[in-house]
Amino acid sequence: MKIKEQFAADLQKQFGEHLDRHNIYHLIEVPKQQEHGDLAFPCYTLSGKLRRNPALIAQEAANQLEDAAGYEKVEAVGAYLNVFLNKQLTASAILARIMEEKNNYGNSQVGQGDVVVMDMSSPNIAKPFSLGHLRSTVIGHSLSLIAEKRGYKTVRINHLGDWGTQFGKLIAAYKKWGSEEKVKQNTIQELLALYIRFHEEAEHSPALEEEGRLWFKQLEEGHADALALWKWFRAESLQEFERIYKLLGVSFDSDNGEAFFNDKMQRIVDILEEKQLLTESEGAMVVDLSEDNLPPCLIKKSDGATLYATRDLAAAVYRKETYHFGNSVYVVGNEQSLHFQQLKAVLRKMGYSWWEDIRHVSFGMILKEGKKMSTRKGKVILLEDILQEAIELAKTNIEEKNPGLADKQSVAENVGVGAVVFHDLKNHRHNDIEFSLEDMLRVEGETGPYVQYTFARARSLLRKGGYQPAAEEVNGCDREAWPVVKQLDAFPAVINRAAEQDDPSQIAKYVVDLAQAFNKYYAGTRILEEGKWKGQRLALTFAVSIVLKEGLRLLGIHAPEEM
RNA sequence: GGCUCCAUAGCUCAGGGGAUAGAGCAAUGGUUUCCUAAACCAUGUGUCGCAGGUUCGAAUCCUGCUGGGGCCA
């Protein structure tokens, strides 16, 4: 990144009259072919402005640049100006910077302490933790870590699905068939079974539906019996989710879910009424959004019940007033994009200038045979089972490859969970994912364990080489290390891109690229061999280990020292 | 029907308007008296969904079409 900026500055000296710095920087590219150098500048745009042959422009620019410091070779090839950087100088600068900054390499202060509220994970209590919630959790977690690295403060909110008529049904079902012991033992599965049974039996017995409604009414009115059960379901569910969060290394600043906003919705309705934004439509109260080309936003049903949107409006306002956010991010599936458009539009109409600071970071669904996975029917894939299976597989691999390893369980957890998390983050969040256990458990190729393995090997080298970071004078690198050095240089730019696009996959891809570059180097160069390069090679290895670990950390993945 | 997302190698996906479109998986073959073989190397594959347009230049930007996903009191 630094080197590209330098190149842009040098070009600006020549072409500043015709192109500004930003344009020049944007035109610079990294050539695909190694023979084309480290950076290239195509002269077509200048050719248009100067009305001259681009090849001539490139040639002249090459002649002028030749003397500038930092370049090993400058070459005009057709319309391209190709530069080869001075490897010793550049490598020294990059490595020195990483040695000095260590895991702070890539940090910035663009956030200036601004608060980002991250609505993430948000599973429904009494229901299994789905793979969709896994996506929200790991994407949100990674984005908040990235934001923190850029100087933002984050507030992670687990907006639990802990309210709704289904809890009336659940209480009814529990009262009829439930067992305290079973629920305690296996909360989610037991509650889900009760819920399914309720629906099955309700088909033949309408009285049951009525009973469910009654229980929900009692819950809403705060009757002790109903409330106690609901609280218990909630606490037991949360406890079970906590096991998953612990494995994922995720924690929250708030688990205020839907129920928390029960007493905060009337205020929203009042404001909407006061501002005369409510209109009646088919007996319901709605906010008309036709000027935004959106369907009306439902605020209150004909029976007076408030709706999802009202609750989210209350939550948005509450978060603004409580956390004073600069940005409020919702990591929620893309099937809800209309809802968030409506939410923003209503907030704007309510006169909240911060409506623009609300961002829906959407993601694709997990599909099964090309279709949306259904949580009904009881045929669900439990995330926890997948994680356990991944951990078992990692354990098997350890027994086979490194049986003497200390602390096998924790390493297996890091690697198994790393595989699942990386699999979720490596592709762009917009893409739908076809469910494949095989892919999730994969440990070779572009996977989390591959990157972790590369890190572990690097650490092993440093141990065996008795490397002491502070003692080492960084001075250049051998020729074979150059691709690795260039990759190291790119890290800060990758973090920025990931942040600007709310896209953790940028970092996942980067970390694979760096690992590939280093593995290639490792395969061809004996790092621990005594000789003039040994110190530099170890310094490079150290820098790689820092960046791999930090990149993985930003994805929410641990990097064990050995595996 | 309206809005929206997607279409690149057999599969999963990268490709910030630029040079010969790349990885991984899968397949085949090779590399450990030597730093962890969860690694590395080699081999093959493409009407970048279709048709126009903008541009010196389009997988990339625009429009339309086809096919698929999603959302819409």
Side-chain angles (χ1 to χ4, degrees):
Chain A
M1 197 199 189
K2 278 264 159 71
I3 45 193
K4 192 168 162 187
E5 277 166 10
Q6 184 55 49
F7 185 40
D10 288 339
L11 286 171
Q12 195 189 12
K13 284 179 202 150
Q14 286 192 52
F15 303 118
E17 292 175 47
H18 312 287
L19 282 174
D20 65 29
R21 176 76 158 270
H22 178 78
N23 274 323
I24 292 173
Y25 185 84
H26 199 70
L27 283 169
I28 294 172
E29 55 189 277
V30 179
K32 287 166 197 153
Q33 266 73 38
Q34 230 185 332
E35 319 86 79
H36 292 147
D38 299 311
L39 291 172
F41 181 72
C43 297
Y44 300 102
T45 309
L46 273 173
S47 163
K49 300 217 180 214
L50 296 167
R51 307 188 103 341
R52 291 186 59 202
N53 182 335
L56 276 173
I57 298 173
Q59 188 55 55
E60 281 175 27
N63 294 340
Q64 287 216 31
L65 258 186
E66 205 120 43
D67 307 326
Y71 304 109
E72 191 175 278
K73 191 168 79 172
V74 183
E75 216 173 36
V77 178
Y80 284 84
L81 172 63
N82 297 333
V83 297
F84 297 75
L85 299 163
N86 181 317
K87 296 177 179 46
Q88 302 310 316
L89 236 56
T90 322
S92 301
I94 292 164
L95 291 177
R97 187 171 164 205
I98 299 172
M99 308 290 262
E100 192 198 320
E101 299 183 347
K102 307 231 163 47
N103 58 328
N104 292 321
Y105 178 55
N107 283 21
S108 74
Q109 286 308 316
V110 289
Q112 299 183 307
D114 254 24
V115 173
V116 177
V117 169
M118 195 73 65
D119 182 312
M120 53 186 266
S121 199
S122 311
N124 299 317
I125 65 167
K127 282 197 182 161
F129 197 99
S130 75
L131 292 170
H133 293 121
L134 174 72
R135 296 211 81 185
S136 172
T137 309
V138 298
I139 292 169
H141 187 214
S142 177
L143 290 179
S144 56
L145 292 168
I146 293 166
E148 282 162 8
K149 192 163 178 72
R150 301 177 88 225
Y152 290 91
K153 287 204 175 79
T154 61
V155 178
R156 281 165 239 198
I157 297 181
N158 198 2
H159 188 76
L160 293 172
D162 60 2
W163 201 254
T165 52
Q166 69 269 28
F167 293 104
K169 296 173 186 175
L170 196 55
I171 290 171
Y174 178 77
K175 285 274 179 190
K176 275 194 154 29
W177 315 298
S179 121
E180 180 173 343
E181 203 182 324
K182 275 185 169 172
V183 171
K184 272 196 169 146
Q185 236 167 42
N186 210 342
T187 308
I188 308 276
Q189 281 205 325
E190 195 54 32
L191 292 181
L192 183 68
L194 285 172
Y195 190 65
I196 289 166
R197 181 161 174 194
F198 181 93
H199 275 284
E200 280 168 2
E201 304 219 359
E203 274 185 37
H204 317 292
S205 135
L208 206 55
E209 288 280 359
E210 188 50 39
E211 224 169 296
R213 254 194 297 278
L214 227 72
W215 274 112
F216 184 60
K217 195 159 176 267
Q218 297 217 8
L219 187 57
E220 277 189 304
E221 287 165 2
H223 288 216
D225 205 11
L227 206 58
L229 273 176
W230 171 79
K231 278 188 177 158
W232 183 55
F233 293 157
R234 189 183 191 275
E236 293 286 336
S237 299
L238 208 50
Q239 208 170 44
E240 208 166 302
F241 294 151
E242 203 50 52
R243 288 208 305 267
I244 291 168
Y245 292 136
K246 202 174 165 212
L247 279 174
L248 295 174
V250 181
S251 59
F252 297 92
D253 300 294
S254 162
D255 56 23
N256 288 337
E258 292 175 355
F260 180 78
F261 296 99
N262 281 342
D263 60 357
K264 298 174 180 61
M265 289 186 281
Q266 187 53 47
R267 186 182 146 209
I268 299 297
V269 176
D270 291 345
I271 296 173
L272 288 168
E273 247 161 27
E274 188 193 317
K275 304 221 169 191
Q276 305 191 318
L277 293 170
L278 288 180
T279 52
E280 206 189 309
S281 163
E282 295 174 36
M285 298 308 281
V286 304
V287 177
D288 180 77
L289 298 172
S290 50
E291 64 185 73
D292 293 270
N293 203 18
L294 292 170
C297 180
L298 242 95
I299 299 298
K300 230 174 168 178
K301 274 206 267 193
S302 45
D303 61 5
T306 45
L307 284 139
Y308 195 63
T310 320
R311 205 172 287 274
D312 272 7
L313 285 167
V317 172
Y318 174 84
R319 288 172 189 179
K320 183 64 185 179
E321 289 172 349
T322 308
Y323 304 113
H324 311 287
F325 60 72
N327 276 102
S328 183
V329 175
Y330 295 78
V331 185
V332 177
N334 58 19
E335 65 267 29
Q336 298 219 40
S337 71
L338 177 62
H339 167 73
F340 284 104
Q341 284 178 53
Q342 291 178 311
L343 188 74
K344 289 174 77 168
V346 174
L347 287 169
R348 194 192 69 234
K349 289 198 151 209
M350 289 170 83
Y352 294 117
S353 60
W354 45 267
W355 69 274
E356 285 181 291
D357 303 327
I358 296 217
R359 267 206 335 271
H360 175 208
V361 172
S362 63
F363 55 83
M365 299 181 295
I366 315 277
L367 305 175
K368 182 107 194 192
E369 277 134 34
K371 279 184 240 149
K372 195 171 173 174
M373 282 216 275
S374 151
T375 43
R376 299 255 167 129
K377 317 256 182 201
K379 272 176 78 183
V380 242
I381 301 147
L382 299 173
L383 171 64
E384 206 170 356
D385 292 348
I386 292 174
L387 290 177
Q388 287 309 334
E389 199 161 337
I391 291 165
E392 283 311 311
L393 181 69
K395 224 182 274 179
T396 312
N397 278 326
I398 290 167
E399 289 302 344
E400 187 187 313
K401 294 162 202 278
N402 196 358
L405 181 66
D407 208 5
K408 287 178 191 166
Q409 177 63 26
S410 110
V411 172
E413 281 179 11
N414 287 337
V415 174
V417 173
V420 174
V421 171
F422 195 91
H423 173 261
D424 204 314
L425 290 178
K426 75 173 174 179
N427 292 330
H428 195 278
R429 56 186 166 76
H430 278 307
N431 299 347
D432 290 339
I433 297 180
E434 175 67 32
F435 174 79
S436 158
L437 189 62
E438 201 190 334
D439 284 350
M440 282 184 164
L441 300 184
R442 194 156 267 152
V443 299
E444 286 162 15
E446 297 167 334
T447 66
Y450 170 84
V451 180
Q452 288 170 317
Y453 176 71
T454 309
F455 171 78
R457 286 220 291 200
R459 294 298 301 171
S460 166
L461 282 174
L462 295 170
R463 279 193 302 274
K464 294 207 168 156
Y467 182 70
Q468 295 294 323
E472 205 55 56
E473 185 77 16
V474 185
N475 188 16
C477 72
D478 51 321
R479 204 164 185 85
E480 291 72 30
W482 182 237
V484 181
V485 172
K486 279 202 287 186
Q487 204 59 43
L488 287 171
D489 177 64
F491 188 49
V494 169
I495 293 169
N496 289 335
R497 204 163 63 227
E500 280 155 15
Q501 300 175 11
D502 297 308
D503 180 17
S505 79
Q506 299 289 338
I507 289 176
K509 280 162 204 145
Y510 169 79
V511 123
V512 165
D513 287 344
L514 177 59
Q516 281 177 343
F518 182 72
N519 278 328
K520 195 169 266 199
Y521 176 66
Y522 174 98
T525 304
R526 299 209 48 79
I527 290 165
L528 291 180
E529 198 171 75
E530 294 301 329
K532 76 171 220 177
W533 289 112
K534 188 180 169 191
Q536 281 88 319
R537 285 171 176 163
L538 279 170
L540 179 82
T541 304
F542 181 62
V544 168
S545 75
I546 287 172
V547 176
L548 284 181
K549 184 171 189 172
E550 182 63 5
L552 285 173
R553 186 188 72 79
L554 292 175
L555 298 173
I557 296 172
H558 290 287
E561 291 283 315
E562 292 178 68
M563 62 187 266

